[in-house]
Amino acid sequence: MNDTKQIAELLSLPKEVCIISHRNPDGDAIGSSLALAGLLRKQNHTVHIIMPSEYPDVFGFLKGIDDVLIYDLEPEEAKSRIERSNVIMCLDFNSLERIDKVGRIVKDTDSTIVMIDHHIDPEPFYTHGISITEVSSTAELIYNYIKETSTEHLIDLEIGEAIMTGILTDTGSFRHNTNKNTYYAAGDLKARGVDDYYLQDKIFNSMTEKQLRLLGHCLNNRMELLPEYRTGIISLSLQDYEDFDIIRGDTEGIVNYMLMVKQVDVAIFVRQQAKIIKFSFRSKGDISVQALARDHFNGGGHKNASGGYMYGSVGKAVRKIKEHLPDYVPVYNQK
Ligand code: 5GP
Ligand code: MN
């Protein structure tokens, strides 16, 4: 679905716009939001960006990020900004559950709701939407929106870096989810002065010593391989969280390392949080972790990258994974 025309029409006169992205925002949530905010401000809209929870420190270098309002830190201010807006733009998520309590506020407003997203199975909470699962990232969708509305001349370095950040992070530096337009977009942004080397260095070479040691701990002490299902599982307990003083962002990307093992096609990262057990799922090729996450773990996302949650213990979570895995890993893969 691509309501670009209707959205451009809606935004043809200056509006009060709130851009909202999902909890635990990643590079694409942040990059697409900053890029759209930059564009809309140049078109004389008043724009606020709201995220339910804090963003990882690694993205602190992006210009404009200081203006992002975090609902967890300033709930009243965030609520009043959403209620005052005429247009709410929901970026990089497709179900209100992904924005926690902010979802209720969005539901209760009379504002026009626009969704721009690339995940599978959107819920119909919006007035106009761009929902395309074949693109690399929501940032690429923002790039396409700019192209389709002939507003390329408004792309400045800030917007360009924000889009490139979303593309780089959601494709794992062009390793997955790319299509030919992803490369055109990246090439065009580079031609416009975006320094991809600088961005990659800022984003991917910025681990703390603690994060690298935590990665070592996960791989050495917390990883279980299930060769019969070509699957790897890493699970972290609350004790691990205490021992390593793990905070938001520290576990980002750990799940992907398991896919480096030749015999692994499915990688699952399980961690105990205060109230829930949270899952990250990754897969290669035809195996759909989206189906597994959707059917059994209250989640979803993309075919090869999904998330979810459940209530219970880490042990119960791992047992549940082992119970359902056989239904999602095709027999031809069990070699
Ligand atoms: P990650 O494992 O990096 O947190 O998330 C991978 C993908 O799954 C992302 O596209 C993210 O939007 C999606 N995802 C993560 N957690 C959830 C969840 O609880 N519910 C749904 N529907 N999607 C999720
Ligand atoms: Mn995304």
Side-chain angles (χ1 to χ4, degrees), residues 165-200:
T165 296
I167 291 177
L168 284 173
T169 52
D170 260 24
T171 63
S173 299
F174 299 101
R175 274 175 300 167
H176 45 76
N177 289 0
T178 58
N179 60 72
K180 65 182 180 186
N181 181 64
T182 317
Y183 287 93
Y184 288 134
D188 182 30
L189 295 174
K190 186 155 177 149
R192 290 170 191 277
V194 172
D195 185 344
D196 55 319
Y197 179 79
Y198 159 81
L199 288 176
Q200 299 248 29

PDB file of all heavy atoms in Angstrom, residues 165-200:
ATOM      1  N   THR A 165      21.797   6.385   7.951  1.00  0.00           N
ATOM      2  CA  THR A 165      21.877   5.649   9.220  1.00  0.00           C
ATOM      3  C   THR A 165      20.818   4.555   9.280  1.00  0.00           C
ATOM      4  O   THR A 165      21.102   3.412   9.662  1.00  0.00           O
ATOM      5  CB  THR A 165      21.695   6.626  10.406  1.00  0.00           C
ATOM      6  OG1 THR A 165      22.797   7.538  10.398  1.00  0.00           O
ATOM      7  CG2 THR A 165      21.641   5.894  11.738  1.00  0.00           C
ATOM      8  N   GLY A 166      19.594   4.880   8.876  1.00  0.00           N
ATOM      9  CA  GLY A 166      18.522   3.882   8.876  1.00  0.00           C
ATOM     10  C   GLY A 166      18.823   2.744   7.923  1.00  0.00           C
ATOM     11  O   GLY A 166      18.619   1.568   8.247  1.00  0.00           O
ATOM     12  N   ILE A 167      19.337   3.078   6.742  1.00  0.00           N
ATOM     13  CA  ILE A 167      19.652   2.043   5.747  1.00  0.00           C
ATOM     14  C   ILE A 167      20.795   1.162   6.255  1.00  0.00           C
ATOM     15  O   ILE A 167      20.718  -0.072   6.240  1.00  0.00           O
ATOM     16  CB  ILE A 167      20.018   2.684   4.385  1.00  0.00           C
ATOM     17  CG1 ILE A 167      18.768   3.339   3.757  1.00  0.00           C
ATOM     18  CG2 ILE A 167      20.596   1.633   3.439  1.00  0.00           C
ATOM     19  CD1 ILE A 167      19.028   4.067   2.435  1.00  0.00           C
ATOM     20  N   LEU A 168      21.860   1.799   6.752  1.00  0.00           N
ATOM     21  CA  LEU A 168      23.028   1.026   7.224  1.00  0.00           C
ATOM     22  C   LEU A 168      22.648   0.080   8.357  1.00  0.00           C
ATOM     23  O   LEU A 168      23.070  -1.078   8.375  1.00  0.00           O
ATOM     24  CB  LEU A 168      24.116   1.983   7.741  1.00  0.00           C
ATOM     25  CG  LEU A 168      24.946   2.725   6.697  1.00  0.00           C
ATOM     26  CD1 LEU A 168      25.848   3.743   7.383  1.00  0.00           C
ATOM     27  CD2 LEU A 168      25.775   1.725   5.898  1.00  0.00           C
ATOM     28  N   THR A 169      21.855   0.557   9.300  1.00  0.00           N
ATOM     29  CA  THR A 169      21.566  -0.277  10.469  1.00  0.00           C
ATOM     30  C   THR A 169      20.576  -1.387  10.124  1.00  0.00           C
ATOM     31  O   THR A 169      20.745  -2.522  10.558  1.00  0.00           O
ATOM     32  CB  THR A 169      21.063   0.556  11.662  1.00  0.00           C
ATOM     33  OG1 THR A 169      19.973   1.387  11.235  1.00  0.00           O
ATOM     34  CG2 THR A 169      22.161   1.435  12.219  1.00  0.00           C
ATOM     35  N   ASP A 170      19.546  -1.085   9.325  1.00  0.00           N
ATOM     36  CA  ASP A 170      18.560  -2.133   9.012  1.00  0.00           C
ATOM     37  C   ASP A 170      19.060  -3.149   7.995  1.00  0.00           C
ATOM     38  O   ASP A 170      18.484  -4.228   7.864  1.00  0.00           O
ATOM     39  CB  ASP A 170      17.238  -1.516   8.537  1.00  0.00           C
ATOM     40  CG  ASP A 170      16.201  -1.473   9.663  1.00  0.00           C
ATOM     41  OD1 ASP A 170      16.620  -1.471  10.840  1.00  0.00           O
ATOM     42  OD2 ASP A 170      14.990  -1.462   9.371  1.00  0.00           O
ATOM     43  N   THR A 171      20.119  -2.824   7.256  1.00  0.00           N
ATOM     44  CA  THR A 171      20.660  -3.811   6.306  1.00  0.00           C
ATOM     45  C   THR A 171      21.930  -4.460   6.851  1.00  0.00           C
ATOM     46  O   THR A 171      22.552  -5.258   6.149  1.00  0.00           O
ATOM     47  CB  THR A 171      21.028  -3.168   4.946  1.00  0.00           C
ATOM     48  OG1 THR A 171      22.074  -2.203   5.161  1.00  0.00           O
ATOM     49  CG2 THR A 171      19.834  -2.525   4.275  1.00  0.00           C
ATOM     50  N   GLY A 172      22.332  -4.120   8.097  1.00  0.00           N
ATOM     51  CA  GLY A 172      23.590  -4.641   8.611  1.00  0.00           C
ATOM     52  C   GLY A 172      24.719  -4.293   7.645  1.00  0.00           C
ATOM     53  O   GLY A 172      25.440  -5.186   7.195  1.00  0.00           O
ATOM     54  N   SER A 173      24.816  -3.015   7.299  1.00  0.00           N
ATOM     55  CA  SER A 173      25.820  -2.533   6.333  1.00  0.00           C
ATOM     56  C   SER A 173      25.696  -3.245   4.989  1.00  0.00           C
ATOM     57  O   SER A 173      26.677  -3.783   4.478  1.00  0.00           O
ATOM     58  CB  SER A 173      27.235  -2.700   6.879  1.00  0.00           C
ATOM     59  OG  SER A 173      27.387  -1.953   8.048  1.00  0.00           O
ATOM     60  N   PHE A 174      24.483  -3.248   4.450  1.00  0.00           N
ATOM     61  CA  PHE A 174      24.209  -3.795   3.109  1.00  0.00           C
ATOM     62  C   PHE A 174      24.416  -5.301   3.010  1.00  0.00           C
ATOM     63  O   PHE A 174      24.685  -5.818   1.940  1.00  0.00           O
ATOM     64  CB  PHE A 174      25.069  -3.083   2.041  1.00  0.00           C
ATOM     65  CG  PHE A 174      24.794  -1.609   1.968  1.00  0.00           C
ATOM     66  CD1 PHE A 174      25.656  -0.701   2.576  1.00  0.00           C
ATOM     67  CD2 PHE A 174      23.666  -1.127   1.326  1.00  0.00           C
ATOM     68  CE1 PHE A 174      25.400   0.661   2.536  1.00  0.00           C
ATOM     69  CE2 PHE A 174      23.399   0.231   1.277  1.00  0.00           C
ATOM     70  CZ  PHE A 174      24.266   1.120   1.883  1.00  0.00           C
ATOM     71  N   ARG A 175      24.258  -5.997   4.156  1.00  0.00           N
ATOM     72  CA  ARG A 175      24.407  -7.457   4.077  1.00  0.00           C
ATOM     73  C   ARG A 175      23.074  -8.165   3.856  1.00  0.00           C
ATOM     74  O   ARG A 175      23.023  -9.288   3.412  1.00  0.00           O
ATOM     75  CB  ARG A 175      25.095  -7.996   5.335  1.00  0.00           C
ATOM     76  CG  ARG A 175      26.611  -7.961   5.239  1.00  0.00           C
ATOM     77  CD  ARG A 175      27.249  -8.368   6.524  1.00  0.00           C
ATOM     78  NE  ARG A 175      26.833  -7.454   7.598  1.00  0.00           N
ATOM     79  CZ  ARG A 175      27.022  -7.698   8.885  1.00  0.00           C
ATOM     80  NH1 ARG A 175      27.577  -8.811   9.269  1.00  0.00           N
ATOM     81  NH2 ARG A 175      26.641  -6.814   9.785  1.00  0.00           N
ATOM     82  N   HIS A 176      21.963  -7.511   4.267  1.00  0.00           N
ATOM     83  CA  HIS A 176      20.661  -8.150   4.048  1.00  0.00           C
ATOM     84  C   HIS A 176      19.584  -7.109   3.779  1.00  0.00           C
ATOM     85  O   HIS A 176      19.778  -5.917   4.029  1.00  0.00           O
ATOM     86  CB  HIS A 176      20.270  -9.047   5.233  1.00  0.00           C
ATOM     87  CG  HIS A 176      20.497  -8.405   6.570  1.00  0.00           C
ATOM     88  ND1 HIS A 176      19.670  -7.444   7.091  1.00  0.00           N
ATOM     89  CD2 HIS A 176      21.482  -8.578   7.483  1.00  0.00           C
ATOM     90  CE1 HIS A 176      20.125  -7.069   8.273  1.00  0.00           C
ATOM     91  NE2 HIS A 176      21.230  -7.728   8.533  1.00  0.00           N
ATOM     92  N   ASN A 177      18.436  -7.586   3.267  1.00  0.00           N
ATOM     93  CA  ASN A 177      17.260  -6.733   2.987  1.00  0.00           C
ATOM     94  C   ASN A 177      17.495  -5.655   1.938  1.00  0.00           C
ATOM     95  O   ASN A 177      16.769  -4.671   1.909  1.00  0.00           O
ATOM     96  CB  ASN A 177      16.795  -5.997   4.252  1.00  0.00           C
ATOM     97  CG  ASN A 177      16.164  -6.917   5.239  1.00  0.00           C
ATOM     98  OD1 ASN A 177      16.080  -8.105   4.979  1.00  0.00           O
ATOM     99  ND2 ASN A 177      15.735  -6.385   6.344  1.00  0.00           N
ATOM    100  N   THR A 178      18.507  -5.802   1.118  1.00  0.00           N
ATOM    101  CA  THR A 178      18.740  -4.756   0.113  1.00  0.00           C
ATOM    102  C   THR A 178      17.949  -5.048  -1.155  1.00  0.00           C
ATOM    103  O   THR A 178      17.590  -6.190  -1.436  1.00  0.00           O
ATOM    104  CB  THR A 178      20.225  -4.680  -0.264  1.00  0.00           C
ATOM    105  OG1 THR A 178      20.622  -5.964  -0.746  1.00  0.00           O
ATOM    106  CG2 THR A 178      21.075  -4.292   0.914  1.00  0.00           C
ATOM    107  N   ASN A 179      17.660  -4.024  -1.896  1.00  0.00           N
ATOM    108  CA  ASN A 179      17.148  -4.180  -3.256  1.00  0.00           C
ATOM    109  C   ASN A 179      17.917  -3.149  -4.084  1.00  0.00           C
ATOM    110  O   ASN A 179      18.704  -2.381  -3.535  1.00  0.00           O
ATOM    111  CB  ASN A 179      15.628  -3.953  -3.300  1.00  0.00           C
ATOM    112  CG  ASN A 179      15.262  -2.560  -2.830  1.00  0.00           C
ATOM    113  OD1 ASN A 179      15.507  -1.578  -3.532  1.00  0.00           O
ATOM    114  ND2 ASN A 179      14.708  -2.450  -1.626  1.00  0.00           N
ATOM    115  N   LYS A 180      17.694  -3.104  -5.376  1.00  0.00           N
ATOM    116  CA  LYS A 180      18.561  -2.215  -6.153  1.00  0.00           C
ATOM    117  C   LYS A 180      18.361  -0.750  -5.770  1.00  0.00           C
ATOM    118  O   LYS A 180      19.295   0.049  -5.799  1.00  0.00           O
ATOM    119  CB  LYS A 180      18.390  -2.452  -7.656  1.00  0.00           C
ATOM    120  CG  LYS A 180      17.041  -2.115  -8.207  1.00  0.00           C
ATOM    121  CD  LYS A 180      16.994  -2.433  -9.690  1.00  0.00           C
ATOM    122  CE  LYS A 180      15.610  -2.074 -10.217  1.00  0.00           C
ATOM    123  NZ  LYS A 180      15.413  -2.460 -11.596  1.00  0.00           N
ATOM    124  N   ASN A 181      17.148  -0.407  -5.353  1.00  0.00           N
ATOM    125  CA  ASN A 181      16.887   0.986  -4.960  1.00  0.00           C
ATOM    126  C   ASN A 181      17.657   1.396  -3.704  1.00  0.00           C
ATOM    127  O   ASN A 181      18.003   2.565  -3.529  1.00  0.00           O
ATOM    128  CB  ASN A 181      15.378   1.189  -4.746  1.00  0.00           C
ATOM    129  CG  ASN A 181      15.046   2.612  -4.367  1.00  0.00           C
ATOM    130  OD1 ASN A 181      15.247   3.534  -5.142  1.00  0.00           O
ATOM    131  ND2 ASN A 181      14.575   2.799  -3.127  1.00  0.00           N
ATOM    132  N   THR A 182      17.935   0.388  -2.839  1.00  0.00           N
ATOM    133  CA  THR A 182      18.709   0.687  -1.625  1.00  0.00           C
ATOM    134  C   THR A 182      20.072   1.252  -2.022  1.00  0.00           C
ATOM    135  O   THR A 182      20.554   2.225  -1.434  1.00  0.00           O
ATOM    136  CB  THR A 182      18.921  -0.594  -0.790  1.00  0.00           C
ATOM    137  OG1 THR A 182      17.712  -1.340  -0.757  1.00  0.00           O
ATOM    138  CG2 THR A 182      19.343  -0.258   0.623  1.00  0.00           C
ATOM    139  N   TYR A 183      20.668   0.614  -3.037  1.00  0.00           N
ATOM    140  CA  TYR A 183      21.984   1.062  -3.491  1.00  0.00           C
ATOM    141  C   TYR A 183      21.907   2.398  -4.239  1.00  0.00           C
ATOM    142  O   TYR A 183      22.759   3.255  -4.086  1.00  0.00           O
ATOM    143  CB  TYR A 183      22.636  -0.020  -4.369  1.00  0.00           C
ATOM    144  CG  TYR A 183      23.107  -1.209  -3.562  1.00  0.00           C
ATOM    145  CD1 TYR A 183      22.290  -2.315  -3.371  1.00  0.00           C
ATOM    146  CD2 TYR A 183      24.364  -1.213  -2.960  1.00  0.00           C
ATOM    147  CE1 TYR A 183      22.709  -3.409  -2.626  1.00  0.00           C
ATOM    148  CE2 TYR A 183      24.797  -2.294  -2.205  1.00  0.00           C
ATOM    149  CZ  TYR A 183      23.964  -3.395  -2.048  1.00  0.00           C
ATOM    150  OH  TYR A 183      24.392  -4.464  -1.302  1.00  0.00           O
ATOM    151  N   TYR A 184      20.839   2.570  -5.026  1.00  0.00           N
ATOM    152  CA  TYR A 184      20.663   3.865  -5.691  1.00  0.00           C
ATOM    153  C   TYR A 184      20.543   4.978  -4.650  1.00  0.00           C
ATOM    154  O   TYR A 184      21.158   6.045  -4.773  1.00  0.00           O
ATOM    155  CB  TYR A 184      19.398   3.871  -6.571  1.00  0.00           C
ATOM    156  CG  TYR A 184      19.486   3.069  -7.832  1.00  0.00           C
ATOM    157  CD1 TYR A 184      18.442   2.213  -8.195  1.00  0.00           C
ATOM    158  CD2 TYR A 184      20.591   3.168  -8.680  1.00  0.00           C
ATOM    159  CE1 TYR A 184      18.501   1.460  -9.365  1.00  0.00           C
ATOM    160  CE2 TYR A 184      20.660   2.420  -9.849  1.00  0.00           C
ATOM    161  CZ  TYR A 184      19.611   1.567 -10.180  1.00  0.00           C
ATOM    162  OH  TYR A 184      19.676   0.826 -11.331  1.00  0.00           O
ATOM    163  N   ALA A 185      19.721   4.710  -3.643  1.00  0.00           N
ATOM    164  CA  ALA A 185      19.500   5.716  -2.598  1.00  0.00           C
ATOM    165  C   ALA A 185      20.817   6.047  -1.907  1.00  0.00           C
ATOM    166  O   ALA A 185      21.178   7.221  -1.738  1.00  0.00           O
ATOM    167  CB  ALA A 185      18.477   5.203  -1.584  1.00  0.00           C
ATOM    168  N   ALA A 186      21.565   4.994  -1.535  1.00  0.00           N
ATOM    169  CA  ALA A 186      22.835   5.208  -0.836  1.00  0.00           C
ATOM    170  C   ALA A 186      23.812   5.969  -1.738  1.00  0.00           C
ATOM    171  O   ALA A 186      24.511   6.884  -1.292  1.00  0.00           O
ATOM    172  CB  ALA A 186      23.432   3.874  -0.413  1.00  0.00           C
ATOM    173  N   GLY A 187      23.837   5.598  -3.017  1.00  0.00           N
ATOM    174  CA  GLY A 187      24.720   6.280  -3.971  1.00  0.00           C
ATOM    175  C   GLY A 187      24.348   7.745  -4.109  1.00  0.00           C
ATOM    176  O   GLY A 187      25.223   8.630  -4.113  1.00  0.00           O
ATOM    177  N   ASP A 188      23.065   7.992  -4.216  1.00  0.00           N
ATOM    178  CA  ASP A 188      22.591   9.371  -4.352  1.00  0.00           C
ATOM    179  C   ASP A 188      22.967  10.186  -3.104  1.00  0.00           C
ATOM    180  O   ASP A 188      23.462  11.316  -3.199  1.00  0.00           O
ATOM    181  CB  ASP A 188      21.072   9.360  -4.561  1.00  0.00           C
ATOM    182  CG  ASP A 188      20.510  10.757  -4.765  1.00  0.00           C
ATOM    183  OD1 ASP A 188      21.242  11.624  -5.310  1.00  0.00           O
ATOM    184  OD2 ASP A 188      19.357  11.007  -4.367  1.00  0.00           O
ATOM    185  N   LEU A 189      22.772   9.589  -1.939  1.00  0.00           N
ATOM    186  CA  LEU A 189      23.094  10.309  -0.693  1.00  0.00           C
ATOM    187  C   LEU A 189      24.596  10.586  -0.611  1.00  0.00           C
ATOM    188  O   LEU A 189      25.023  11.655  -0.178  1.00  0.00           O
ATOM    189  CB  LEU A 189      22.613   9.509   0.520  1.00  0.00           C
ATOM    190  CG  LEU A 189      21.092   9.341   0.621  1.00  0.00           C
ATOM    191  CD1 LEU A 189      20.716   8.411   1.766  1.00  0.00           C
ATOM    192  CD2 LEU A 189      20.408  10.700   0.814  1.00  0.00           C
ATOM    193  N   LYS A 190      25.378   9.589  -1.022  1.00  0.00           N
ATOM    194  CA  LYS A 190      26.837   9.784  -1.006  1.00  0.00           C
ATOM    195  C   LYS A 190      27.214  10.926  -1.963  1.00  0.00           C
ATOM    196  O   LYS A 190      28.035  11.780  -1.633  1.00  0.00           O
ATOM    197  CB  LYS A 190      27.545   8.490  -1.396  1.00  0.00           C
ATOM    198  CG  LYS A 190      29.052   8.593  -1.266  1.00  0.00           C
ATOM    199  CD  LYS A 190      29.720   7.247  -1.051  1.00  0.00           C
ATOM    200  CE  LYS A 190      31.231   7.456  -1.001  1.00  0.00           C
ATOM    201  NZ  LYS A 190      31.944   6.536  -0.171  1.00  0.00           N
ATOM    202  N   ALA A 191      26.574  10.940  -3.122  1.00  0.00           N
ATOM    203  CA  ALA A 191      26.846  12.020  -4.087  1.00  0.00           C
ATOM    204  C   ALA A 191      26.467  13.383  -3.507  1.00  0.00           C
ATOM    205  O   ALA A 191      27.038  14.406  -3.871  1.00  0.00           O
ATOM    206  CB  ALA A 191      26.061  11.756  -5.378  1.00  0.00           C
ATOM    207  N   ARG A 192      25.503  13.384  -2.602  1.00  0.00           N
ATOM    208  CA  ARG A 192      25.079  14.635  -1.981  1.00  0.00           C
ATOM    209  C   ARG A 192      25.944  15.008  -0.769  1.00  0.00           C
ATOM    210  O   ARG A 192      25.605  15.922  -0.010  1.00  0.00           O
ATOM    211  CB  ARG A 192      23.616  14.549  -1.550  1.00  0.00           C
ATOM    212  CG  ARG A 192      22.647  14.528  -2.707  1.00  0.00           C
ATOM    213  CD  ARG A 192      21.238  14.200  -2.254  1.00  0.00           C
ATOM    214  NE  ARG A 192      20.378  13.925  -3.395  1.00  0.00           N
ATOM    215  CZ  ARG A 192      19.767  14.861  -4.122  1.00  0.00           C
ATOM    216  NH1 ARG A 192      19.865  16.125  -3.785  1.00  0.00           N
ATOM    217  NH2 ARG A 192      19.037  14.525  -5.152  1.00  0.00           N
ATOM    218  N   GLY A 193      26.978  14.225  -0.529  1.00  0.00           N
ATOM    219  CA  GLY A 193      27.930  14.614   0.513  1.00  0.00           C
ATOM    220  C   GLY A 193      27.881  13.798   1.797  1.00  0.00           C
ATOM    221  O   GLY A 193      28.639  14.042   2.736  1.00  0.00           O
ATOM    222  N   VAL A 194      26.994  12.804   1.854  1.00  0.00           N
ATOM    223  CA  VAL A 194      26.941  11.974   3.061  1.00  0.00           C
ATOM    224  C   VAL A 194      28.185  11.097   3.113  1.00  0.00           C
ATOM    225  O   VAL A 194      28.527  10.417   2.141  1.00  0.00           O
ATOM    226  CB  VAL A 194      25.668  11.088   3.057  1.00  0.00           C
ATOM    227  CG1 VAL A 194      25.702  10.083   4.207  1.00  0.00           C
ATOM    228  CG2 VAL A 194      24.423  11.960   3.149  1.00  0.00           C
ATOM    229  N   ASP A 195      28.854  11.102   4.246  1.00  0.00           N
ATOM    230  CA  ASP A 195      30.099  10.349   4.423  1.00  0.00           C
ATOM    231  C   ASP A 195      29.774   9.009   5.074  1.00  0.00           C
ATOM    232  O   ASP A 195      29.647   8.913   6.303  1.00  0.00           O
ATOM    233  CB  ASP A 195      31.052  11.182   5.294  1.00  0.00           C
ATOM    234  CG  ASP A 195      32.422  10.537   5.425  1.00  0.00           C
ATOM    235  OD1 ASP A 195      32.546   9.329   5.117  1.00  0.00           O
ATOM    236  OD2 ASP A 195      33.361  11.242   5.854  1.00  0.00           O
ATOM    237  N   ASP A 196      29.627   7.975   4.258  1.00  0.00           N
ATOM    238  CA  ASP A 196      29.229   6.662   4.785  1.00  0.00           C
ATOM    239  C   ASP A 196      30.302   6.075   5.693  1.00  0.00           C
ATOM    240  O   ASP A 196      29.996   5.410   6.685  1.00  0.00           O
ATOM    241  CB  ASP A 196      28.901   5.687   3.644  1.00  0.00           C
ATOM    242  CG  ASP A 196      30.044   5.563   2.646  1.00  0.00           C
ATOM    243  OD1 ASP A 196      30.658   6.595   2.317  1.00  0.00           O
ATOM    244  OD2 ASP A 196      30.330   4.432   2.198  1.00  0.00           O
ATOM    245  N   TYR A 197      31.559   6.341   5.390  1.00  0.00           N
ATOM    246  CA  TYR A 197      32.651   5.812   6.218  1.00  0.00           C
ATOM    247  C   TYR A 197      32.573   6.390   7.639  1.00  0.00           C
ATOM    248  O   TYR A 197      32.657   5.668   8.632  1.00  0.00           O
ATOM    249  CB  TYR A 197      34.001   6.143   5.571  1.00  0.00           C
ATOM    250  CG  TYR A 197      35.164   5.656   6.394  1.00  0.00           C
ATOM    251  CD1 TYR A 197      35.543   4.315   6.366  1.00  0.00           C
ATOM    252  CD2 TYR A 197      35.863   6.535   7.226  1.00  0.00           C
ATOM    253  CE1 TYR A 197      36.591   3.849   7.143  1.00  0.00           C
ATOM    254  CE2 TYR A 197      36.922   6.073   8.014  1.00  0.00           C
ATOM    255  CZ  TYR A 197      37.274   4.736   7.961  1.00  0.00           C
ATOM    256  OH  TYR A 197      38.315   4.283   8.733  1.00  0.00           O
ATOM    257  N   TYR A 198      32.348   7.689   7.699  1.00  0.00           N
ATOM    258  CA  TYR A 198      32.200   8.363   8.995  1.00  0.00           C
ATOM    259  C   TYR A 198      31.023   7.766   9.767  1.00  0.00           C
ATOM    260  O   TYR A 198      31.128   7.449  10.963  1.00  0.00           O
ATOM    261  CB  TYR A 198      31.986   9.862   8.738  1.00  0.00           C
ATOM    262  CG  TYR A 198      31.339  10.645   9.859  1.00  0.00           C
ATOM    263  CD1 TYR A 198      32.081  11.095  10.956  1.00  0.00           C
ATOM    264  CD2 TYR A 198      29.966  10.954   9.830  1.00  0.00           C
ATOM    265  CE1 TYR A 198      31.478  11.814  11.973  1.00  0.00           C
ATOM    266  CE2 TYR A 198      29.364  11.671  10.842  1.00  0.00           C
ATOM    267  CZ  TYR A 198      30.123  12.100  11.915  1.00  0.00           C
ATOM    268  OH  TYR A 198      29.525  12.813  12.925  1.00  0.00           O
ATOM    269  N   LEU A 199      29.900   7.562   9.072  1.00  0.00           N
ATOM    270  CA  LEU A 199      28.715   7.031   9.749  1.00  0.00           C
ATOM    271  C   LEU A 199      28.949   5.600  10.236  1.00  0.00           C
ATOM    272  O   LEU A 199      28.611   5.258  11.369  1.00  0.00           O
ATOM    273  CB  LEU A 199      27.504   7.056   8.810  1.00  0.00           C
ATOM    274  CG  LEU A 199      26.920   8.439   8.517  1.00  0.00           C
ATOM    275  CD1 LEU A 199      25.782   8.327   7.501  1.00  0.00           C
ATOM    276  CD2 LEU A 199      26.409   9.113   9.786  1.00  0.00           C
ATOM    277  N   GLN A 200      29.552   4.763   9.370  1.00  0.00           N
ATOM    278  CA  GLN A 200      29.803   3.369   9.772  1.00  0.00           C
ATOM    279  C   GLN A 200      30.716   3.340  10.996  1.00  0.00           C
ATOM    280  O   GLN A 200      30.519   2.546  11.921  1.00  0.00           O
ATOM    281  CB  GLN A 200      30.490   2.598   8.638  1.00  0.00           C
ATOM    282  CG  GLN A 200      29.672   2.522   7.375  1.00  0.00           C
ATOM    283  CD  GLN A 200      29.188   1.098   7.086  1.00  0.00           C
ATOM    284  OE1 GLN A 200      28.989   0.304   7.990  1.00  0.00           O
ATOM    285  NE2 GLN A 200      28.973   0.805   5.830  1.00  0.00           N
TER     286      GLN A 200
END
